[in-house]
Amino acid sequence: MLKFIKLILPVVLLCLLPQRQMWAADESVSDVRVVVDISGSMKKNDPNNLRAPAVRMLVGLMPEEARTGVWTFAKMVNMLVPWKPVNDDWRQTAIEKSSQIHSLGLFTDIEQALKKATANQKQANPKFRRSMILLSDGFIDLQAGNTATQKSRQRILDELVPKLKKTQIAVHTIALSENADHELLKALSMATDGWYQRADNAEDLQRIFLHLFEKATQRDTVPLADNQFSIDDSVTEMTVLAFRQKDTAATTLTLPDGSRLTQSDRSDAIRWQHDSSYDLITIDNPATGQWQINAELDPDNRVMVVTDMQLETTDLPNNVLLGEKFDFEATLTEKGNVITRDGFLKLVDGTLAQDKQGEVKSLTLLRQPDKSKYRATLGNTFSDGRHDVIVTMKSATFERQRRQTINVIAAPINVEVEQLDQQTRSHRIQVQADDRLIKPDSLTITALLREEDGSEWPYDLLKTGDNNWRLTLTELEAQKPYQLSLQLRGETPEGRKVFLQPEPLTLMDSLANATSESEVVSEDASDKPEVSMTETAQAEKLIEPETEQNIIEQNQAMSDNMKLLIGNAIILLLLLAGVVWWRKQTASTVVAGDLI
């Protein structure tokens, strides 16, 4: 029997191997590339070189087996930390190399930085979740001059962006200056479904890096309430991130048994990264029970866990359109397998929270009987701006949490309203789509015009170009408001079908109002009392236009008569002069016969 087991066991393992590989293929590996500007302008915008601790925090949080690398750039591009699978040796190398981040570089070549950091990516690979975090404080600035600089910028938009989209690299950009090329950084992020963030000062960098790290990776966390959290026996590793005021005392942890853990308790099982404004503490096989972080309460404190029991959720886009709806799902897995035990799942409560700048709206995740998925419809209560979407699954014995941050955009179109100066009182509505958010060739636009009394008229907007739509409305009644509602149907660049209804427009016949005001002014003028002509001074100032014209004509007539008189006088004088001259000549002439 023992011989039979020995013979059959390798066969069984070989049969299981493809299945295990299949499970592994389902879990995408995080591929994160960090690209940091080290040009000279950083001396002003990051005088304390806070980029270095932000990078150290990021590499300390990075999960095992993620592929990560760090590049720095100015005129040249340098691979500071090689792109490799993350392990303890890689982390140590990255922490040591972070001291080489400086502000001594000349020029700023963002194009080459993008190329070098993605040089080994030629096509999309579903096994990897690819992201880039690009930090810069300025514009592209090349030694070759302004013409070369502008060409480089255009090549990024025309050539590099399509390649980044093709290889499915989400570019998250950070602008650390008012003088950064915000339009370029926004375009990079929007086109690749990344995240654009403006940093008002370098002190914000660590928290921004944290939020972008959470976008780039899918790490499980446990909920924090008043800096307390619970660890169950399925957790094999936990990482605590606690923010502190600059240069304050190190964080400590209180264990479930009441004992206290400090920075001096480092060991092979406890890695403690103490920086100027945060502590990052990683503990292998932490004790089960209730833990306490002894530090200030901070909304960005985190407890990340490595565990056999994981929470998997719908992966939301970074940028969504106001009006989009998502069928959001959450499942619990154990060692890679979805948990389907009904007796266990009945004891699990799921909630979905939308947090917009402290305003929290909660939804219940519902599970159908005998089903393993928890579902909710997300998007009904979105407003434009940033939203944190936080999923929490909880029972008496464990807690799991996962968060995503999304940017809700009011509308993917630009609308211009123009009133034409015509008797029909026409309004022209011009619409242009943002092709980073919606495909123009998939878009159809309809409109509904609504009057105050509830009357409605539907219209179709006419497509007048590849990315232009027009609607002309005529004969709107004067001084009456109308509501124009647009409806959009189309697809996002990622292929999501969307039906959007932007905020209605209010139309008012402003030219009619101007005409009415002009008429009122004329009526007011006609109502003024007549001015007494006996008052000479007033009469001189209030000459009517007709009287002035008569005076001009009279003056013109007098001038013509005077010219005629002068002309006649000149002619008469000439005649007289001629007669006198003739008489003199006649008197002096001698008759020929008188000389004989």
Side-chain angles (χ1 to χ4, degrees), residues 450-480:
R450 182 177 293 107
E451 200 175 343
E452 281 185 305
D453 62 6
S455 302
E456 296 180 341
W457 297 272
Y459 299 91
D460 291 325
L461 270 69
L462 176 66
K463 191 170 186 180
T464 59
D466 292 339
N467 190 12
N468 289 284
W469 288 259
R470 178 186 296 171
L471 173 64
T472 302
L473 300 171
T474 60
E475 298 181 351
L476 301 186
E477 293 187 38
Q479 301 182 10
K480 290 184 64 175

Side-chain angles (χ1 to χ4, degrees), residues 92-342:
Q92 188 59 37
T93 299
I95 290 171
E96 292 172 359
K97 290 290 186 70
S98 68
S99 62
Q100 297 180 21
I101 296 174
H102 55 73
S103 304
L104 303 175
L106 298 175
F107 305 102
T108 307
D109 196 341
I110 295 177
E111 179 187 7
Q112 290 304 314
L114 292 170
K115 284 184 176 181
K116 292 290 181 67
T118 59
N120 64 343
Q121 303 305 303
K122 304 301 181 184
Q123 59 187 5
N125 188 339
K127 292 182 179 180
F128 293 94
R129 178 188 179 90
R130 292 174 175 163
S131 305
M132 177 189 294
I133 299 174
L134 171 65
L135 167 64
S136 180
D137 73 335
F139 285 76
I140 298 172
D141 179 23
L142 304 185
Q143 187 176 12
N146 187 60
T147 300
T149 294
Q150 292 303 317
K151 288 182 178 180
S152 175
R153 187 182 192 276
Q154 201 60 43
R155 282 195 300 271
I156 290 175
L157 297 172
D158 295 342
E159 300 174 14
L160 272 181
V161 165
K163 290 180 180 178
L164 293 168
K165 292 174 67 175
K166 179 182 177 182
T167 53
Q168 296 182 357
I169 299 176
V171 182
H172 308 302
T173 58
I174 308 171
L176 183 59
S177 168
E178 291 182 1
N179 299 321
D181 191 343
H182 297 278
E183 291 304 316
L184 175 63
L185 297 180
K186 284 180 184 177
L188 270 170
S189 294
M190 295 294 291
T192 60
D193 193 34
W195 186 272
Y196 161 80
Q197 183 73 52
R198 173 174 169 170
D200 293 327
N201 54 70
E203 284 73 19
D204 296 335
L205 284 180
Q206 293 166 10
R207 296 171 191 272
I208 292 173
F209 269 51
L210 168 64
H211 299 153
L212 296 183
F213 163 79
E214 291 178 323
K215 286 185 168 299
T217 65
Q218 293 178 312
R219 293 209 64 175
D220 282 89
T221 65
V222 296
L224 268 172
D226 296 329
N227 271 353
Q228 296 184 3
F229 61 95
S230 180
I231 295 295
D232 61 84
D233 58 6
S234 70
V235 174
T236 57
E237 180 185 278
M238 77 174 187
T239 298
V240 176
L241 173 61
F243 285 97
R244 310 184 331 273
Q245 293 294 321
K246 185 178 179 181
D247 297 327
T248 56
T251 303
T252 64
L253 299 177
T254 301
L255 280 68
D257 62 4
S259 60
R260 181 164 293 202
L261 197 65
T262 68
Q263 185 182 355
S264 61
D265 294 319
R266 292 177 179 173
S267 66
D268 291 341
I270 302 174
R271 300 186 298 278
W272 200 298
Q273 186 175 321
H274 176 70
D275 229 302
S276 60
S277 58
Y278 68 85
D279 282 289
L280 193 62
I281 310 156
T282 300
I283 301 175
D284 294 333
N285 298 312
T288 60
Q290 194 78 5
W291 288 69
Q292 172 77 45
I293 301 174
N294 302 307
E296 292 185 9
L297 297 177
D298 193 293
D300 287 326
N301 287 349
R302 297 285 190 272
V303 179
M304 303 180 183
V305 294
V306 176
T307 173
D308 290 335
M309 184 182 295
Q310 295 180 315
L311 173 60
E312 296 184 359
T313 66
T314 298
D315 194 10
L316 295 171
N318 287 310
N319 300 286
V320 305
L321 303 176
L322 185 63
E324 281 196 83
K325 305 292 189 298
F326 298 91
D327 293 325
F328 194 88
E329 294 183 347
T331 57
L332 289 168
T333 64
E334 189 172 22
K335 295 182 178 179
N337 297 317
V338 175
I339 298 174
T340 59
R341 300 190 303 274
D342 188 60

